[in-house]
Amino acid sequence: MTTIENLDELLKYLKLPFIRENHIHLADVAAREAWSHQAYLLALVQGEASLRRDRSIQRRIQAAHFPVIKTLEQYSFSWPKKINRLQIQNLFHLNFLKNKSNVIFLGGVGLGKTHLASAIGYAACLKGVSVLFTTAIDVVNSLSTAQASGRLQIELKRYLKPELLILDELGYLPIDKHGADLLFQIISHRYEQGSLLITSNRAFIDWPTIFNNDSTLTSAILDRLLHHAEVILIEGKSYRMKDQIES
């Protein structure tokens, strides 16, 4: 085995794909441009680190299960009748994650709550944060199924592990007493341990109707959610009805 072949096998064993694929090319560049040994090594290590960073970001994005990748730049702030643009832009600094506090978007349908939630989650992934995007109903259904098969604790960990859990569409469908109890477990366990981002089409005063008209449980949920939370209110007509409204 030649020296190059031996080096190739060692780099493969060490799982250094960038260095394995580029060390010969960069050696030619280094010789041509009279790089120092340190400069050549730095180029190899920087390339390897960059590749590893990019792959890590892609893994986090895939694990987040975003319905669609969205960004803040794609959001149309001119459409809602009422929206605090500066407040939303500040959320993208992600300081709420450091404080393990929550974010709640309230507003009617078609105002971009899911868009903004996805965009915040995507921005968090780019910064190395673990994220999971799901709907409130999907959480209830998956926990109910897991409980029926004796896997509740395992399934709970799925929703407790991410640094940011995004619960979309809370309030679009009613949740029965059993489902509300399961959802409360998520909210209770994440309290001051990990951030929640929730979107809802219901004002807080109407939340008891989401949770089977259980005012006591609703109060317990809101108490934990709002203790450390930023609430963003968006008002206006549905963007999906934009063409009909303007015609």
Side-chain angles (χ1 to χ4, degrees), residues 52-91:
R52 192 164 295 188
R53 236 182 344 258
D54 290 344
R55 289 182 173 179
S56 178
I57 288 171
Q58 288 307 311
R59 283 194 299 270
R60 282 192 294 272
I61 292 171
Q62 289 175 0
H65 297 296
F66 297 115
V68 181
I69 299 298
K70 295 289 187 180
T71 66
L72 177 63
E73 290 73 24
Q74 294 170 330
Y75 185 78
S76 177
F77 280 98
S78 61
W79 178 254
K81 180 181 178 182
K82 179 181 178 182
I83 188 169
N84 189 328
R85 182 170 185 163
L86 182 59
Q87 183 186 24
I88 290 171
Q89 289 173 330
N90 283 337
L91 288 175

Side-chain angles (χ1 to χ4, degrees), residues 82-114:
K82 179 181 178 182
I83 188 169
N84 189 328
R85 182 170 185 163
L86 182 59
Q87 183 186 24
I88 290 171
Q89 289 173 330
N90 283 337
L91 288 175
F92 282 79
H93 296 149
L94 305 178
N95 290 326
F96 71 95
L97 292 172
K98 300 173 187 175
N99 300 326
K100 294 180 170 52
S101 56
N102 305 316
V103 174
I104 304 173
F105 284 101
L106 299 179
V109 298
L111 289 172
K113 299 184 302 297
T114 298

Side-chain angles (χ1 to χ4, degrees), residues 20 25 62 97 107 113-114 134 154 163 171 180 188 206 219 228:
R20 182 175 173 231
H25 166 67
Q62 289 175 0
L97 292 172
K113 299 184 302 297
T114 298
T134 185
I154 294 174
E163 295 168 82
S188 179
D206 297 323
S219 295
H228 307 292

